């Protein structure tokens, strides 16, 4: 007599394909996000790596950091006060130094008897100017650009604005965390599936032998 047991497929009723498991779905999702999120993180790492490599030579490149010149000999009691240095810088009538608001900082280098005056950058994509002034005589020793400040802003993405910098850094951290998780998951997933299949194989063999024994007994 024909087999009426609904648990076994017949010619008239083909077996239904099992639905994909949640682990397989998550593996597919992880593979997709792992690929495309790595593109974003790769670009961010590329900018950080190249700008950091360039900045490592700032002591050797005049564009990144002007060489420090020494002022005239004298003791610290002969050094000009900061307001005299600011007046000397403004007297140059540079486009970047028209008022005190254009001066970012004044730094004294006692060993070289020299004041470093850094001006404000005219824009996010420009390098600020540095002026070195003799601490004793007030003469201009050197006038150059501080390219390292621009490249530091590129390194931290601050050149694109504070909001962009914070957003990029936060997303880069979260992306890196997700790539680590999905990377480990995708690495161990085939081994886990192989082990799971090996555990289920004896049960499948036993289930396949059960209907054969039922048919022979009938």
């Amino acid at each position: 007599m024909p087999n009426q047991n609904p648990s076994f497929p017949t010619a008239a009723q083909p077996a239904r394909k099992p639905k994909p498991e949640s682990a397989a779905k998550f593996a597919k999702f992880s593979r997709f996000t792992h690929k495309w999120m790595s593109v974003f993180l790769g670009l961010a790492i590329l900018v950080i790596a190249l700008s950091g490599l360039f900045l490592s030579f700032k002591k050797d490149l005049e564009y990144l950091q002007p060489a420090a010149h020494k002022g005239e000999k004298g003791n610290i009691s002969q050094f000009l006060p900061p307001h005299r240095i600011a007046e000397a810088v403004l007297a140059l009538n540079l486009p970047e130094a028209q008022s005190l608001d254009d001066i970012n900082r004044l730094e004294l280098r006692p060993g070289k008897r020299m004041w470093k005056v850094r001006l404000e950058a005219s824009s996010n994509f420009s390098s600020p100017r540095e002026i070195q002034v003799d601490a004793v005589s007030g003469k201009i020793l050197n006038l150059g650009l501080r390219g390292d400040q621009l490249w530091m802003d590129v390194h931290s993405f601050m050149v694109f604005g504070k909001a962009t910098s914070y957003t990029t850094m936060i997303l880069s951290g979260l992306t890196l965390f997700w790539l680590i998780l999905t990377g480990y998951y995708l690495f161990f997933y085939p081994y886990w599936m192989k082990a799971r299949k090996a555990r289920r194989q004896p049960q499948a063999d036993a289930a396949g032998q059960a209907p054969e024994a039922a048919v022979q007994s009938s």
Side-chain angles (χ1 to χ4, degrees):
M1 60 182 298
N3 185 9
Q4 300 295 331
N5 192 342
S7 61
F8 300 104
T10 62
Q13 184 181 2
R16 294 182 179 178
K17 294 182 179 180
K19 295 181 179 180
E21 297 183 2
S22 58
K25 289 183 178 180
F26 185 72
K28 183 178 181 181
F29 174 75
S30 298
R31 193 175 293 109
F32 176 82
T33 56
H34 191 91
K35 178 177 70 174
W36 290 107
M37 292 178 73
S38 62
V39 174
F40 162 76
L41 186 62
L43 291 175
I45 292 178
L46 182 64
V47 172
I48 294 173
L50 292 179
S51 58
L53 179 64
F54 191 43
L55 285 169
S56 64
F57 295 97
K58 77 174 189 175
K59 296 291 185 181
D60 305 309
L61 298 177
E62 185 74 14
Y63 161 69
L64 293 178
Q65 182 173 323
H69 292 221
K70 288 186 177 181
E72 296 180 4
K73 291 185 179 181
N75 54 52
I76 196 169
S77 62
Q78 297 175 290
F79 288 0
L80 297 174
H83 75 273
R84 292 283 302 278
I85 302 301
E87 290 173 355
V89 170
L90 295 178
L92 297 174
N93 199 27
L94 296 173
E96 307 97 322
Q98 295 295 312
S99 67
L100 290 177
D101 293 335
D102 296 328
I103 298 178
N104 179 276
R105 68 187 67 177
L106 290 85
E107 300 176 353
L108 176 63
R109 296 292 187 267
K112 295 185 179 294
R113 301 173 297 280
M114 176 263 291
W115 282 92
K116 276 189 176 184
V117 183
R118 188 180 305 173
L119 304 179
E120 296 285 358
S122 57
S123 67
N124 288 346
F125 293 92
S126 62
S127 301
R129 188 175 294 276
E130 179 182 280
I131 305 168
Q132 299 178 10
V133 184
D134 192 316
V136 177
S137 66
K139 295 179 180 179
I140 304 300
L141 300 175
N142 193 9
L143 196 153
L145 295 176
R146 286 299 299 258
D148 61 330
Q149 298 302 307
L150 172 61
W151 285 95
M152 280 295 294
D153 289 342
V154 173
H155 190 73
S156 62
F157 297 94
M158 194 66 72
V159 69
F160 303 107
K162 185 177 293 186
T164 302
S165 174
Y166 289 163
T167 302
T168 303
M169 290 302 179
I170 292 173
L171 289 179
S172 296
L174 294 175
T175 300
L176 180 59
F177 178 72
W178 179 253
L179 290 181
I180 292 173
L181 290 181
T182 55
Y184 277 118
Y185 183 82
L186 293 173
F187 179 80
F188 288 108
Y189 176 73
Y191 298 100
W192 176 69
M193 289 298 296
K194 185 177 181 180
R196 186 182 181 188
K197 185 177 180 181
R199 289 196 304 267
R200 289 187 172 184
Q201 189 63 39
Q203 300 176 0
D205 294 342
Q209 294 174 359
E212 294 179 3
V215 170
Q216 292 176 0
S217 63
S218 61

